[in-house]
């Protein structure tokens, strides 16, 4: 690592246009995002509901702005065996789309029992419904089958533990790692969701460095998190109230995490995220400040 340009640093559109809380940033257009990403000098991004749906059109548009599609979130219901065939077919199509975009990673998350995307649960439900042992085994089987699809296409399934889902706490992440094949199921290190869920992001990375194939760089406002937990505020409301922010603006020290990245030879995508209200925290300004913060860390590492 020589400077900030030597790492694959991408920017998530969710800083501008939220995917979980649709009213946040809905006024931004694709052109707005491209202008800001270009001016900020990022080289990669993830997909967004504001992006063109046609793969050829999107790939050309991103290339014109010097951007690579790093990945896109894919929620799955592998814990429900009756849906397995349709879920895997949808997953295969998703993999083919990402492959056509030049992506090498498929961000994947089980939504069964979650509060953020299980279509079988009533809207407004605020509690995660844990999987039974049988449902967990079904989930693992589905992840392995999906991982095979990725592997055949020269890609990697990277599992995104996520607040409001059945894999969010340290014990759940550990169980996922212990019950899945490391050749088929890799891990997405999301620093913000790790901290929110009770993990130390550095310790989590150190423990599973050989499984981590993709990174989301996100920070946490600890005072907001403490209030969220004390008052039992659900995830979507926590986002609106500002529990997440960009690296350098919260309580996580990213310097030791980056030192660990260097020590373990991590050299793949790092996607900068904030997942906050753009009306309260200007996404361009926050991304710019965070990029400077990360550049300072890299400069100190190279001193």
């Amino acid at each position: 690592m020589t400077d900030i340009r030597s790492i694959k640093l991408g920017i998530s559109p969710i800083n501008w246009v939220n995917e979980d809380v649709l009213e946040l940033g809905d006024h931004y257009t694709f052109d707005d995002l491209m202008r800001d990403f270009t001016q900020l000098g990022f080289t990669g991004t993830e997909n967004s509901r504001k992006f063109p749906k046609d793969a050829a059109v999107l790939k050309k548009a991103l290339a014109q702005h010097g951007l690579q599609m790093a990945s896109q979130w894919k929620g799955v219901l592998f814990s429900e065996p009756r849906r397995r065939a349709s879920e895997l077919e949808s997953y295969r199509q998703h993999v083919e789309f990402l492959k056509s975009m030049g992506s090498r990673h498929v961000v994947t998350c089980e939504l069964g029992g979650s509060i953020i995307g299980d279509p079988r649960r009533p809207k407004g439900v605020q509690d995660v419904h844990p999987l039974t042992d049988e449902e967990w085994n079904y989930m693992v089987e589905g992840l392995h089958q999906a991982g095979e699809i990725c592997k055949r296409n020269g890609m990697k399934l990277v599992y995104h533990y996520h607040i409001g889902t059945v894999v969010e706490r340290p014990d759940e992440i550990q169980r996922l790692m212990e019950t899945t094949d490391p050749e088929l199921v890799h891990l997405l290190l999301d620093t913000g969701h790790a901290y929110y869920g009770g993990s130390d992001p550095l310790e989590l990375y150190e423990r599973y460095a050989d499984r981590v194939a993709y990174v989301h760089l996100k920070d946490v406002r600890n005072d907001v998190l403490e209030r969220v937990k004390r008052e039992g505020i659900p995830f979507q409301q926590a986002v609106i109230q500002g529990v997440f922010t960009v690296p350098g603006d919260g309580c996580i020290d990213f310097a030791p995490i980056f030192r660990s990245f260097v020590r373990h030879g991590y050299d793949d995508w790092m996607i900068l995220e904030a997942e906050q209200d753009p009306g309260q925290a200007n996404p361009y300004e926050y991304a710019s400040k965070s990029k400077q913060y990360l550049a300072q860390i890299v400069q100190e590492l190279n001193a």
Side-chain angles (χ1 to χ4, degrees), residues 114-118 121-127 234-237:
S114 78
I115 65 171
I116 64 167
D118 187 338
R121 307 197 73 196
K123 288 186 177 180
V125 66
Q126 296 183 7
D127 63 309
F235 172 68
Q236 290 94 335
Q237 281 299 315

Side-chain angles (χ1 to χ4, degrees), residues 44-220:
T45 185
E46 293 184 348
N47 207 356
S48 167
R49 58 191 171 93
K50 295 292 184 172
F51 285 11
K53 300 299 184 286
D54 182 272
V57 172
L58 177 56
K59 188 172 185 178
K60 181 178 180 181
L62 292 178
Q64 289 173 342
H65 291 87
L67 289 164
Q68 167 67 48
M69 175 73 74
S71 189
Q72 178 184 355
W73 166 280
K74 179 61 174 173
V76 297
L77 283 169
F78 292 151
S79 60
E80 172 54 79
R82 291 173 295 183
R83 303 175 67 114
R84 177 71 55 78
S86 61
E87 287 288 308
L88 285 173
E89 175 56 23
S90 174
Y91 196 90
R92 182 189 62 77
Q93 294 175 16
H94 185 74
V95 168
E96 289 178 353
F97 164 74
L98 287 177
K99 184 178 181 180
S100 73
M101 296 298 299
S103 307
R104 296 186 298 105
H105 304 86
V106 186
V107 175
T108 307
C109 181
E110 170 65 39
L111 298 182
S114 78
I115 65 171
I116 64 167
D118 187 338
R120 303 165 302 179
R121 307 197 73 196
K123 288 186 177 180
V125 66
Q126 296 183 7
D127 63 309
V128 175
H129 190 277
L131 300 181
T132 65
D133 289 343
E134 184 178 40
E135 289 172 329
W136 184 279
N137 291 336
Y138 286 140
M139 176 189 73
V140 169
E141 290 173 5
L143 289 173
H144 286 163
Q145 290 175 286
E148 289 281 8
I149 294 172
C150 292
K151 191 173 183 179
R152 287 197 298 269
N153 284 278
M155 303 171 74
K156 291 181 178 180
L157 182 159
V158 288
Y159 193 92
H160 190 337
Y161 52 85
H162 197 286
I163 301 304
T165 74
V166 294
V167 183
E168 60 176 8
R169 301 193 307 266
D171 60 313
E172 294 161 347
I173 297 171
Q174 179 179 349
R175 185 180 183 186
L176 179 77
M177 293 291 91
E178 290 177 350
T179 55
T180 53
D181 185 339
E183 295 297 317
L184 299 176
V185 178
H186 306 270
L187 189 64
L188 185 157
L189 177 74
D190 186 300
T191 55
H193 281 276
Y195 191 92
Y196 192 138
S199 297
D200 179 297
L202 175 60
E203 290 180 3
L204 187 64
Y205 178 67
E206 291 278 358
R207 184 170 189 175
Y208 300 116
D210 60 335
R211 299 283 293 271
V212 172
Y214 198 86
V215 171
H216 281 172
L217 299 172
K218 187 190 290 103
D219 213 337
V220 174

Side-chain angles (χ1 to χ4, degrees), residues 214-239:
Y214 198 86
V215 171
H216 281 172
L217 299 172
K218 187 190 290 103
D219 213 337
V220 174
R221 295 184 175 93
N222 199 52
D223 59 333
V224 178
L225 180 61
E226 289 179 350
R227 176 166 52 81
V228 162
K229 292 189 174 183
R230 184 173 62 250
E231 299 179 10
I233 297 171
F235 172 68
Q236 290 94 335
Q237 281 299 315
V239 168

Side-chain angles (χ1 to χ4, degrees), residues 17-47:
V17 182
N18 201 279
E19 302 290 338
D20 294 317
V21 187
L22 300 183
E23 63 266 28
L24 296 185
D26 196 50
H27 62 284
Y28 285 102
T29 67
F30 176 69
D31 289 339
D32 291 334
L33 299 178
M34 292 299 97
R35 180 198 63 235
D36 286 355
F37 295 178
T38 300
Q39 291 179 0
L40 287 163
F42 288 100
T43 58
T45 185
E46 293 184 348
N47 207 356

